Amino acid sequence: MTEPVRILIVDDEPHIRSGLAKGLAKSGDVIDTAGDVNQALDKLERAEYQVVIADVRLPGDRDGLDLVSWIQQRCPETNTLVITAHGTVETAVDAMRRGAFDFITKPVDLNLIRQQVGRALDHGRLQSENRVLRDRLADAGAISEIIGNCTIMQELFQQLRQVADTDATVFIQGESGTGKELVARALHDLSSRSSGEFVAVNLGALPESLLESELFGHEKGSFTGASRQKPGCFEQARGGTLFLDEITEIPTKSQVDLLRVLETGQFQRVGGEALLSSDARIVSATNKDPLPLIDDGVFRDDLYYRLNIVPLVIPPLRKRRDDIPLLVEHFVKHFCQRHKRPDKQFSDDALELLTAANWPGNVRQLRNVVERLVVTHVGDRIDAGSLPSELTVVQAVGPTEVRTLAEATESAEKEAIKVALVACGFHREQTARALGVSVRTLHYKMSRYGLH
């Protein structure tokens, strides 16, 4: 049983108040009226209203726009419709700026008022549902746009809270689609640098010829096509955060330049002579294991150690399956609102299939699947038969019988290290020699698998 709707009508003309009250009245609803702002405030202090319909010109020292401002501050979930016989663009803009849901001119069209009230009620319900979802996500544990309730995500959240409001350089590792940029943004949003710029650059997507200019900027005429001076990412991120994504893709020469900036805090634009400085906080990320790249001479070890002050590892979605229903609910709400679709819900068997799937593309793939179904599925209930076929194949084999090559490799590697450690009496140099890897690689693997 739905709760009755409460509507407050504020107008100094009694016949308009009574006409609107009769025209909007439905069985079970409560329609109250007031003749001025003071009467309206008295009623708003004593009861909650979903919609307030207020005339702009009201008797007394406060008008309808003042009432809109008060409601926006004290009752943000109440939607206000402003009506007036003196409709101007300036008044409409002022009303909307103060928080009015919509603006209607007199003479009042009752059918139009009914439509607008219906829209305001729908908007209020959506606000309420979003608030409930936000509260649920907060209870479950969420930072910024990162959602997770499982133990491994709670540990990640704890790490984020510990290091966010520092200037420590952070090195994020995770497979493609796990949300490395979201983690970087969360570090920025939770820090005292949040008022500064968050600048993200994908180093793997830039050709080597443009990389130096993108990072450090260039002067006008410094090369063909440089028609104006351009600040680089380090300049743009002053006082904020610079996110260097796919850091292991950076060419060797650029690695040297980057290391110099990290050590000195100074750089020069391409074609420039002046030394510029930047205090940007550096967060870098990669979807690759950097240590084999270091051993192969592809990635500088001194740059790695300079970037890897605080390491953060984002788990793949297959290692946090309990979070999938929560993620699905969040994405459904988001995309229904974004694409103006009616509310949809996944059936229990559909959620079971989604939870059992392998998700090689991680959270990004799950997000895309949910968006596709929200947009294309007819009806408000999405069952297992509506899911993409590649997801149902995994379930048919059995979720416990299928592992990705990455999972199998990790399991075998972890077991091999454990056996070697025991055989070598936990002597790390001997263990590294026995395994045919460097001590540095062994240390990294032990940390990754929790073998202390």
Side-chain angles (χ1 to χ4, degrees), residues 41 84 123 198 206-207 226 236 248 252 314 322 357 370:
L41 294 179
T84 181
H123 184 260
F198 176 87
L206 291 171
Q236 298 171 39
T248 52
T252 304
I314 309 176
D322 290 346
V370 174

Side-chain angles (χ1 to χ4, degrees), residues 90 129 205 369:
E90 291 78 8
E129 290 173 0
V369 167

Side-chain angles (χ1 to χ4, degrees), residues 97-326:
R97 181 179 57 82
R98 295 188 188 214
F101 178 75
D102 211 340
F103 180 89
I104 302 171
T105 58
K106 292 181 180 179
V108 173
D109 183 327
L110 191 55
N111 288 328
L112 177 59
I113 286 283
R114 289 194 185 106
Q115 291 175 10
Q116 297 296 71
V117 167
R119 289 182 59 243
L121 290 172
D122 289 340
H123 184 260
R125 292 189 191 98
L126 183 60
Q127 285 182 309
S128 178
E129 290 173 0
N130 287 341
R131 187 192 72 250
V132 170
L133 179 59
R134 286 195 301 269
D135 292 343
R136 285 191 58 190
L137 294 177
D139 292 340
I143 291 182
S144 189
E145 293 291 319
I146 315 167
I147 299 165
N149 193 31
C150 65
T151 301
I152 194 170
M153 290 301 293
Q154 291 300 313
E155 291 173 352
L156 176 61
F157 291 163
Q158 180 62 25
Q159 289 177 294
L160 285 173
R161 295 186 185 98
Q162 287 176 339
V163 305
D165 203 15
T166 71
D167 287 335
T169 303
V170 177
F171 192 82
I172 303 171
Q173 283 185 261
E175 297 178 8
S176 294
T178 50
K180 295 185 288 296
E181 184 168 343
L182 287 180
V183 170
R185 286 185 179 275
L187 287 167
H188 175 76
D189 293 341
L190 291 171
S191 75
S192 55
R193 293 174 171 268
S194 58
S195 59
E197 290 293 321
F198 176 87
V199 179
V201 54
N202 188 331
L203 301 176
L206 291 171
E208 186 173 354
S209 58
L210 295 179
L211 187 57
E212 190 176 1
S213 170
E214 187 69 22
L215 289 176
F216 310 123
H218 63 253
E219 298 290 351
K220 180 179 179 180
S222 56
F223 55 85
T224 303
S227 57
R228 60 182 178 83
Q229 183 189 81
K230 176 183 178 297
C233 294
F234 275 92
E235 284 185 77
Q236 298 171 39
R238 278 177 178 156
T241 303
L242 176 57
F243 175 52
L244 303 174
D245 198 8
E246 304 302 344
I247 185 67
T248 52
E249 302 299 319
I250 189 170
T252 304
K253 179 186 179 303
S254 299
Q255 291 180 38
V256 176
D257 296 336
L258 177 58
L259 180 61
R260 185 183 305 114
V261 178
L262 295 177
E263 294 290 353
T264 66
Q266 295 182 318
F267 61 94
Q268 292 174 301
R269 297 193 191 107
V270 176
E273 296 181 358
L275 275 178
L276 305 175
S277 61
S278 175
D279 69 340
R281 195 237 186 116
I282 305 299
V283 179
S284 56
T286 180
N287 60 5
K288 296 181 178 179
D289 183 345
L291 295 182
L293 299 176
I294 292 173
D295 291 338
D296 294 339
V298 177
F299 195 64
R300 294 178 62 98
D301 56 353
D302 48 0
L303 177 59
Y304 170 69
Y305 291 128
R306 184 63 184 79
L307 294 170
N308 192 37
I309 305 299
V310 179
L312 293 179
V313 179
I314 309 176
L317 188 56
R318 61 183 177 274
K319 290 191 175 180
R320 42 181 295 226
R321 296 184 186 278
D322 290 346
D323 287 338
I324 290 177
L326 190 64

